């Protein structure tokens, strides 16, 4: 039980505007302004504090696509907080240059891999961003909590050495599917406190945990509740998915982040809960 | 994150055969054998390891009612594990004398109140039971984790002094509604580890947490997931309620208590999940 009454509410980054999703890819190709606005607005209405924007797998020009998506969101939802998401540092830079996020934008993401760190960390410093870092290096993805901690610790050291404030570093310790590795959720949950003790924050991309299982929203939502209660600082999720939205509303009410459960009761009245 | 892979699965005590529920009260009065068998069997099928039996608020004779309910359950489900539930030590004794529970039966419950301790603790020793203890004394119910711990600690001392093994003592730290006291879930969750560090086990009567809120099953189920992940040892719940059943199945899968998620997948196929 790491979260205490009065702690900040967990930060929600809406994951839907991602070009790995067919409908988003089509909307980007077709320059379908309405679709992008609805996706951004819907996620904000459902409680997202940031909107992730990923244009990496359209077949066109990622930099032009990033430009278009950002201009659509920013001209229709002024001040929307943005998380620029790409493995390509040129696309990240393009996004950051155009970004009018009201709060400090996110870069999603670096890893412990040298090349990625070298290309992307300077952008985080130049544009004064928050920064997502995956616990992944040249040798792959960690399995245990201690392996996650070891990589996170190396990332913290490199980032600090470069002069970046690790209070703005969000470590994603990469949850793996429990269907094939039953101990993975426990190892992930244990890593949350260990990583926070380094001074960094923690973030979770949720949906891998349930890969290969039926009723994935249920597994995701129960895992999210456990992670929030462990002190998870942020999650990249679909806040419009009913299981996830229900779990978040209930967790906020239970952990004292929703005074007198007012938001929970509102979500219930609006039919947003399971 | 207190629960580790390989820890025992949380113990589920089915709460439905309780005379505070109108249908059970009517079934007891009418000596409706079929109703009691269905309630017991249904809870076991849904994953209950123990069946709670409470006959305290029928208008008849509690001792005779206890006798009848136990004989119905035990002659139809031989070896069913029983949790004898009454504030009345004579009804408890009657139940314990008749009880043919395959595993050590539960007594539900003592408190830190002297009279209750004095009358009931000798029964736990004589019949070699597991024992539920509520963190409640002559001055009322605790609000903070430390107040809960203080009462739990006094209960442990008294019980140990009498020669009872506190490995069989299950402390219920009495969750209070978050609708009027927003900090209560966090205080309760914090108390779990503190009480386990005394050497006792922890048990939770779930439903008070959501009193006064809509969609109570959702709040109960998310709270249960958090408590299980904190290391809660047992819960007195309705395992046939879909929210609770879903949360338990998902939590078992996530915490490594359900190898390769086989039970989770079965529950999904049988339509028992939300």
């Amino acid at each position: 039980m790491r979260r205490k009454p009065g702690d900040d509410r967990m930060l929600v980054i809406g994951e839907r505007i991602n070009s790995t999703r067919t409908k988003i890819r089509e909307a980007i190709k077709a320059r379908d302004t309405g679709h992008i606005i609805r996706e951004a607005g819907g996620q904000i209405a459902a409680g997202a504090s940031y909107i992730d924007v990923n244009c990496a797998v359209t077949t066109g020009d990622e930099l032009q696509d990033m430009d278009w998506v950002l201009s659509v969101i920013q001209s229709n939802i002024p001040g929307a907080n943005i998380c620029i998401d790409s493995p390509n540092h040129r696309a990240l830079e393009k996004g950051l240059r155009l970004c009018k996020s009201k709060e400090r934008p996110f870069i999603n993401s670096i890893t412990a891999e040298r090349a990625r760190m070298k290309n992307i960390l300077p952008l985080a410093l130049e544009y004064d961003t928050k920064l997502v870092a995956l616990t992944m290096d040249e040798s792959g993805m960690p399995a245990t909590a201690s392996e996650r901690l070891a990589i996170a610790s190396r990332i913290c050291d490199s980032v600090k050495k470069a002069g970046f404030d690790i209070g703005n570093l969000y470590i994603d310790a990469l949850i793996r599917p429990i269907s094939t590795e039953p101990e993975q959720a426990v190892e992930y949950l244990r890593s949350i406190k260990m990583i926070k003790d380094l001074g960094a924050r923690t973030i979770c991309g949720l949906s891998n945990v349930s890969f290969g299982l039926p009723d994935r929203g249920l597994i995701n939502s129960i895992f999210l509740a456990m992670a929030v209660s462990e002190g998870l600082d942020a999650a990249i999720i679909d806040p419009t998915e009913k299981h996830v939205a229900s779990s978040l509303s209930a967790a906020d009410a239970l952990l004292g982040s929703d005074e007198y459960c007012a938001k929970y009761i509102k979500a219930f009245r609006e039919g947003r809960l399971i």
Side-chain angles (χ1 to χ4, degrees), chain A:
Chain A
M1 187 62 228
R2 311 298 168 184
R3 196 163 283 265
K4 296 176 206 73
D7 280 2
D8 287 346
R9 183 175 180 269
M10 194 192 65
L11 204 66
V12 173
I13 303 178
E15 71 181 6
R16 292 180 57 88
I17 303 185
N18 190 311
S19 56
T20 58
R21 297 179 61 228
T22 311
K23 285 196 177 164
I24 293 295
R25 204 159 55 240
E26 287 169 0
I28 292 175
K29 276 190 205 161
R31 295 294 188 250
D32 180 349
T33 307
H35 190 85
I36 299 295
I37 297 170
R38 280 191 300 278
E39 285 286 15
Q43 291 181 95
I44 291 169
S49 304
Y50 279 81
I51 300 298
D52 189 86
V53 176
N54 173 309
C55 306
V57 296
T58 58
T59 51
D61 178 331
E62 184 181 359
L63 275 66
Q64 277 191 4
D65 291 342
M66 178 66 81
D67 186 343
W68 177 76
V69 174
L70 283 178
S71 74
V72 169
I73 296 175
Q74 296 185 142
S75 56
N76 287 280
I77 309 172
N81 295 318
I82 304 288
C83 174
I84 312 277
D85 178 1
S86 176
N88 172 357
H89 64 98
R90 291 197 180 80
L92 289 174
E93 180 158 32
K94 177 86 174 184
L96 291 167
R97 228 176 18 238
L98 297 169
C99 182
K100 299 173 188 157
S101 188
K102 191 176 165 198
E103 294 176 44
R104 188 177 269 128
F106 267 94
I107 292 178
N108 184 9
S109 56
I110 61 164
T111 66
E113 292 159 301
R114 246 166 257 155
R116 207 148 152 184
M117 183 84 81
K118 182 173 154 256
N119 288 324
I120 298 177
L121 190 51
L123 296 175
L125 286 159
E126 183 182 346
Y127 290 93
D128 189 21
T129 70
K130 292 175 184 274
L131 179 57
V132 177
L134 317 179
T135 54
M136 204 170 128
D137 62 14
E138 281 79 2
S139 64
M141 271 168 66
T144 65
S146 333
E147 287 167 21
R148 288 176 164 93
L149 177 66
I151 301 184
S153 176
R154 278 197 283 128
I155 293 173
C156 285
D157 289 346
S158 306
V159 157
K160 271 197 278 194
K161 206 191 269 175
F164 188 85
D165 171 11
I166 62 169
N168 287 319
L169 180 67
Y170 287 71
I171 305 264
D172 182 338
L174 296 175
I175 179 68
R176 291 156 63 149
I178 56 167
S179 54
T180 48
E181 298 178 284
E183 71 292 350
Q184 278 300 317
V186 171
E187 292 294 336
Y188 180 93
L189 291 168
R190 284 181 57 213
S191 78
I192 293 176
K193 177 174 184 302
M194 293 160 83
I195 291 170
K196 291 184 70 152
D197 284 347
L198 297 172
R201 294 178 191 264
T202 48
I203 190 167
C204 183
L206 195 60
S207 57
N208 275 350
V209 70
S210 59
F211 183 80
L213 290 176
D215 206 358
R216 295 184 63 179
L218 171 60
I219 295 280
N220 294 349
S221 68
I222 296 299
F223 180 65
L224 182 61
M226 290 174 172
V228 173
S229 141
E230 280 300 307
L232 185 73
D233 300 287
I236 305 187
I237 53 182
D238 177 358
T240 69
E241 198 279 317
K242 215 164 178 174
H243 267 112
V244 166
S246 300
S247 172
L248 271 183
S249 292
D252 280 344
L254 284 162
L255 298 176
S257 320
D258 174 12
E259 208 170 358
Y260 295 104
C261 309
K263 288 180 191 161
Y264 175 83
I265 292 167
K266 183 164 182 280
F268 171 75
R269 288 202 181 129
E270 291 172 356
R272 287 189 276 119
L273 304 183
I274 276 186

